Amino acid sequence: MNAYRRIMLAVDLTEESRPVADRALAIMKSTAAELHVVHVIEPLSLAYGGDVPMDLSAIQEQIHEQAKSHLAEFCDSIGVPEDHRHLIFGRPENEIQRTAEANGADLIVVGSHGRHGLALLLGSTANGVLHGAPCDVLAVRVGNTTEK
Ligand code: AMP
């Protein structure tokens, strides 16, 4: 079986991103693959529907600037160069898949909370990415790993 050549690591930029990144870094080192990082900003209009009675553009711009600097800080800390960083607007599961495909990734790495009950029914980003993914997907267990 061929080794992975290009990994797309999806990060929500919470403190859980580091253990997920560590898995991607380990695969990268053992296969000499290229590592790309994607963070998706969900537009406020998508999160709250189109009918919020105020102009959200200033807040959206602030969120964008903040995400840009957090992504830069995170990528600097794991040694991912600028041209391998992707800051995208849209729905995370769709945009993670699209960015992986557009960049020819053969592995997507995401975190997974291993939810159950109602949270499982509501779905997660990892589930969304897996369905219809253009390549292999590694879901790295994060959060409370002792929970059953
Ligand atoms: P969730 O269980 O939906 O909170 O998401 C778990 C994982 O999905 C995270 O560890 C990331 O790998 C990925 N993810 C969630 N939100 C985003 C986002 N906005 N941008 C990129 N990846 C994300």
Side-chain angles (χ1 to χ4, degrees):
M1 203 173 146
N2 292 335
Y4 292 115
R5 289 191 310 269
R6 193 166 293 155
I7 302 166
M8 186 61 67
L9 165 66
V11 290
D12 55 11
L13 297 174
T14 64
E15 68 280 4
E16 286 172 0
S17 300
R18 188 60 210 225
V20 183
D22 285 343
R23 289 281 191 205
L25 286 166
I27 297 169
M28 180 189 104
K29 283 172 191 152
S30 68
T31 59
E34 211 176 70
L35 181 61
H36 286 240
V37 174
V38 58
H39 175 68
V40 183
I41 302 171
E42 205 161 350
L44 290 169
S45 56
L46 267 184
Y48 295 103
D51 40 46
V52 182
M54 60 190 280
D55 181 11
L56 298 173
S57 52
I59 305 170
Q60 191 72 75
E61 181 56 28
Q62 221 175 328
I63 292 171
H64 179 250
E65 285 309 313
Q66 217 164 52
K68 202 164 130 187
S69 81
H70 285 163
L71 181 64
E73 208 175 294
F74 184 79
C75 288
D76 285 346
S77 77
I78 59 168
V80 168
E82 274 183 39
D83 57 343
H84 290 184
R85 305 173 186 180
H86 309 271
L87 187 58
I88 313 279
F89 271 97
R91 284 194 194 282
E93 46 270 60
N94 297 348
E95 294 308 317
I96 292 166
Q97 286 182 346
R98 201 191 51 75
T99 308
E101 193 163 21
N103 288 278
D106 48 11
L107 177 68
I108 297 172
V109 179
V110 287
S112 167
H113 291 100
R115 291 187 180 94
H116 59 280
L118 188 59
L120 183 62
L121 284 177
L122 290 174
S124 68
T125 307
N127 277 331
V129 169
L130 186 59
H131 294 288
C135 60
D136 290 0
V137 177
L138 173 64
V140 179
R141 185 80 187 256
V142 289
N144 187 352
T145 52
T146 57
E147 210 176 295
K148 286 273 180 309

